[in-house]
Amino acid sequence: MIILITGASHTGKTLLAQRMLEKYKYPYLSIDHLKMGLIRSGNTFLTPKDDDALMEYLWPIVREMIKTAIENSQNLIVEGCYVPFDWRRDFDENYLSSIRFICLAMTGRYIDEHFKDITGYGSAIESRLDDSECSLCGLKEDNKRCLEGFIQAGEQVLLIDDSFERVLEALLES
């Protein structure tokens, strides 16, 4: 089983992946770790700010890692924001039946009411060296873009509107 977790920035993808790792004992791949390894090693001239180009660069690698894990009957949690809205086009039904897709997004109201908490938990699992560019407006735009893009692609998005912890608990129970 592959658990593919994506969504907007600061929605708790990494925290969810960590909790799933602890519950299921599945290994977990952070697309951000792959990104930084490729950037720091000089294997790309892209920077952490090149989001669209990074998705085009990283997704083919991640996609083939997912296929390899499925072909080898291995479980894997894959987490990160570099998943295209139309990701399903890259897999036939034999692969899709082995992928559990989870997309997280927050409502604008939730962001308005919990912005300080959201940014406060930004380093709950991994240390963000500099999170100063995270703004209320930017977070709302990113969540709206993510929500609209995945819904337009026919995906279900788990909307965080009331309690972040309740959403995580429900995902861990299902």
Side-chain angles (χ1 to χ4, degrees):
M1 171 62 64
I2 304 299
I3 302 173
L4 179 58
I5 304 169
T6 194
S9 178
H10 288 77
T11 54
K13 299 178 299 292
T14 306
L15 179 61
L16 175 60
Q18 180 67 35
R19 289 193 184 169
M20 287 186 157
L21 173 149
E22 292 166 1
K23 177 178 180 175
Y24 300 119
K25 309 295 186 230
Y26 291 1
Y28 129 61
L29 168 70
S30 165
I31 301 173
D32 278 342
H33 292 173
L34 176 61
K35 167 188 78 176
M36 291 311 297
L38 291 164
I39 290 171
R40 287 179 171 177
S41 67
N43 282 295
T44 181
F45 293 107
L46 297 171
T47 72
K49 296 181 188 241
D50 296 323
D51 282 339
D52 291 337
L54 280 165
M55 184 174 338
E56 289 179 28
Y57 183 68
L58 294 169
W59 179 245
I61 299 166
V62 171
R63 174 192 70 216
E64 297 309 315
M65 291 174 76
I66 290 171
K67 288 179 180 178
T68 301
I70 292 170
E71 290 162 359
N72 287 291
S73 300
Q74 295 170 315
N75 299 315
L76 182 64
I77 299 165
V78 178
E79 170 271 320
C81 61
Y82 302 104
V83 177
F85 299 135
D86 61 349
W87 68 274
R88 286 182 189 271
R89 72 173 157 69
D90 293 326
F91 299 94
D92 65 30
E93 188 51 44
N94 293 325
Y95 291 110
L96 289 171
S97 64
S98 296
I99 300 172
R100 178 182 176 197
F101 178 75
I102 300 170
C103 180
L104 301 172
M106 296 178 206
T107 65
R109 183 184 66 78
Y110 183 86
I111 295 167
D112 284 335
E113 292 176 5
H114 299 276
F115 181 71
K116 193 175 274 191
D117 296 329
I118 294 165
T119 56
Y121 285 109
S123 293
I125 299 297
E126 52 189 14
S127 297
R128 293 179 189 259
L129 298 178
D130 181 13
D131 205 19
S132 62
E133 290 188 17
C134 180
S135 69
L136 179 74
C137 185
L139 204 54
K140 288 169 85 170
E141 287 175 16
D142 188 33
N143 275 268
K144 182 179 180 192
R145 181 192 61 76
C146 179
L147 178 64
E148 290 174 354
F150 279 110
I151 287 176
Q152 187 173 4
E155 298 294 345
Q156 286 191 326
V157 177
L158 293 167
L159 206 52
I160 301 165
D161 185 44
D162 179 31
S163 168
F164 172 74
E165 277 300 322
R166 258 189 253 138
V167 170
L168 286 188
E169 287 171 19
L171 285 167
L172 290 168
E173 306 242 339
S174 62

